[in-house]
Amino acid sequence: MKYLIDKLYKAHNLTIEEFKSLIEERTPEIAEYLFERARQVKIANYGCDVYIRGLIEFSNYCRNDCYYCGIRKSNTGAERYRLTEEDILNCCNTGHNLGFRTFVLQSGEDLYFTDEKMVHIIKSIKNRYPDCAVTLSIGERSYESYKAFYDAGADRYLLRHETANEEHYKKLHPENLSLLNRKACLFDLKKIGYQVGCGFMVGSPYQTVETLVEDLMFIKELQPHMVGIGPFIPHSDTPFAHKESGTLELTLFMLGLVRLMIPEVLMPATTALGTIDPLGREKGIQAGGNVVMPNLSPVAVRNKYMLYDNKICTGDEAAECRFCMQKRMEGIGCRVVVSRGDHRSCNK
Ligand code: 5AD
Ligand code: FES
């Protein structure tokens, strides 16, 4: 198996069959070898730096009904909220004072935030903080909308593909959502000029080794700047309430593989990873991750943006999250950097 890791390290690719056997036949020893290689590649590209992004969850209204997600529209138990533009700018102000130079605006698919409103928000942030990057994570919109946000100054866009297998996609989403459209959005975003992030959950219901390999092949094809990978965690008010969580072990393995496949990728150690294991985010960094995204949302709404059960950091102030993260990263020999932390090939 080690020869497959060496091959991936050198060629940045494997065949479908090779990926499949590597995942199926992995052992703790193989995983450790993968992580060593992944760290080596990461250090060659980024040194010991870990990039920090301030996450602002500005609305938990969602028009979609993904079976796994706690803020799906059918969850009448979710208490809905929206931040105002002023609230969002206040979060940015707090974040800027704490050293954040990237703000990630995330929400459910909430059409209350029209293109016009989003453009206004993006322009206000870029106007006030010209040294900062704005990342959007607000779901599927038209090419024209994406273009308008980009022209307003948005730099990056996160849109997880969730699964690259058509049949699997249908098992995770209602009929009105399609993988085809999801992928088209990602290619549109790239074409417009965004730094783009895709990604998937590990251990989502009905996932198989085959679908995981398809995820890797899709990532290879898209060549995203960022990849978000976290374990699936059930939410008690969703159709998947009784499904099992994804494991730390397989999530880390997938992070390692993606690091070798795309050496310069920006890859967060996600909050979901920190939720299934108290040291999950540290382990995610040690498996190949190089980004952390502490929460900047106001404490009053923190516990309302519940994509899954037991989400961590829901009672903490922005500053606590910021410094907790710094301590954690320093604890594993990493340096938290407060630059924009653009993708290496990008000089926008
Ligand atoms: N468990 C883990 N991750 C989830 N997400 C949504 N619901 C869950 C869940 N139950 C992830 C999705 C989405 C991102 C914002 O959060 O991958 O794209
Ligand atoms: Fe909101 Fe899936 S439930 S996008």
Side-chain angles (χ1 to χ4, degrees):
M1 281 302 117
K2 281 189 183 166
Y3 79 96
L4 287 180
I5 292 171
D6 289 335
K7 181 176 171 193
L8 183 59
Y9 170 78
K10 287 196 195 105
H12 312 301
N13 210 0
L14 293 178
T15 65
I16 292 174
E17 282 312 312
E18 286 171 332
F19 269 129
K20 189 163 175 273
S21 52
L22 189 51
I23 296 172
E24 272 172 351
E25 293 162 43
R26 71 189 188 281
T27 62
E29 191 198 346
I30 291 296
E32 199 38 57
Y33 186 70
L34 169 65
F35 302 151
E36 276 167 29
R37 284 297 204 191
R39 281 195 292 270
Q40 190 185 342
V41 166
K42 182 179 63 175
I43 287 166
N45 283 279
Y46 292 102
C48 293
D49 294 353
V50 169
Y51 298 97
I52 191 159
R53 320 291 195 204
L55 180 63
I56 303 170
E57 298 156 336
F58 68 94
S59 164
N60 71 348
Y61 281 85
C62 192
R63 64 173 163 159
N64 289 340
D65 223 6
C66 309
Y67 303 139
Y68 47 83
C69 185
I71 63 167
R72 63 198 300 267
K73 72 169 173 207
S74 297
N75 182 11
T76 50
E79 195 185 319
R80 305 288 168 171
Y81 73 90
R82 286 185 182 111
L83 300 187
T84 63
E85 178 171 324
E86 191 191 348
D87 294 331
I88 296 172
L89 286 167
N90 282 334
C91 290
C92 294
N93 184 49
T94 306
H96 199 264
N97 288 334
L98 289 168
F100 289 94
R101 293 297 177 267
T102 294
F103 302 118
V104 181
L105 301 185
Q106 186 172 87
S107 69
E109 290 205 4
D110 181 5
L111 294 185
Y112 166 86
F113 287 95
T114 56
D115 289 1
E116 214 182 335
K117 285 203 181 76
M118 285 312 302
V119 163
H120 198 274
I121 292 168
I122 295 161
K123 283 188 177 163
S124 307
I125 298 176
K126 294 296 283 197
N127 196 21
R128 237 186 250 190
Y129 308 101
D131 58 335
C132 291
V134 168
T135 304
L136 300 178
S137 177
I138 60 172
E140 297 180 20
R141 299 234 179 170
S142 68
Y143 184 94
E144 291 67 35
S145 304
Y146 287 153
K147 181 80 171 71
F149 305 153
Y150 186 79
D151 291 340
D155 304 273
R156 309 181 186 138
Y157 206 104
L158 305 177
L159 184 73
R160 290 192 180 176
H161 64 281
E162 311 297 358
T163 173
N165 176 283
E166 192 72 57
E167 296 307 307
H168 187 208
Y169 199 90
K170 288 196 187 115
K171 291 181 180 162
L172 301 180
H173 303 97
E175 241 170 73
N176 66 322
L177 295 176
S178 85
L179 178 58
L180 214 60
N181 195 54
R182 196 79 174 174
K183 286 185 174 177
C185 286
L186 283 162
F187 284 106
D188 282 350
L189 290 161
K190 254 199 119 172
K191 186 166 161 208
I192 290 168
Y194 283 97
Q195 295 178 50
V196 172
C198 67
F200 59 94
M201 294 176 285
V202 170
S204 59
Y206 314 106
Q207 184 174 70
T208 62
V209 172
E210 281 78 10
T211 67
L212 280 173
V213 175
E214 285 181 70
D215 288 321
L216 294 174
M217 296 318 242
F218 173 67
I219 290 169
K220 190 74 201 172
E221 180 195 346
L222 178 68
Q223 287 289 321
H225 304 85
M226 302 163 288
V227 176
I229 301 175
F232 161 74
I233 304 172
H235 185 292
S236 49
D237 300 322
T238 64
F240 290 165
H242 301 292
K243 302 288 184 190
E244 273 184 34
S245 291
T247 65
L248 174 76
E249 184 270 325
L250 184 53
T251 306
L252 297 178
F253 200 80
M254 297 310 295
L255 287 171
L257 293 180
V258 172
R259 171 61 61 199
L260 295 193
M261 208 167 67
I262 309 185
E264 64 282 8
V265 74
L266 288 160
M267 208 160 45
T270 57
T271 306
L273 202 50
T275 299
I276 55 163
D277 185 294
L279 293 177
R281 285 166 299 177
E282 286 87 337
K283 290 171 185 170
I285 297 297
Q286 287 171 318
N290 62 340
V291 173
V292 287
M293 297 169 65
N295 204 317
L296 275 183
S297 311
V299 177
V301 303
R302 282 279 176 101
N303 59 354
K304 300 191 177 85
Y305 202 85
M306 280 289 182
L307 305 181
Y308 45 82
D309 290 338
N310 306 315
K311 188 174 168 215
I312 54 169
C313 307
T314 50
D316 296 328
E317 295 285 349
E320 293 178 73
C321 279
R322 160 74 174 81
F323 293 111
C324 155
M325 202 61 85
Q326 178 157 350
K327 263 204 222 134
R328 283 171 177 270
M329 294 302 119
E330 285 169 1
I332 55 170
C334 294
R335 191 173 66 117
V336 169
V337 289
V338 294
S339 72
R340 278 175 47 135
D342 280 294
H343 183 264
R344 272 180 56 246
S345 72
C346 204
N347 35 28
K348 190 188 157 200

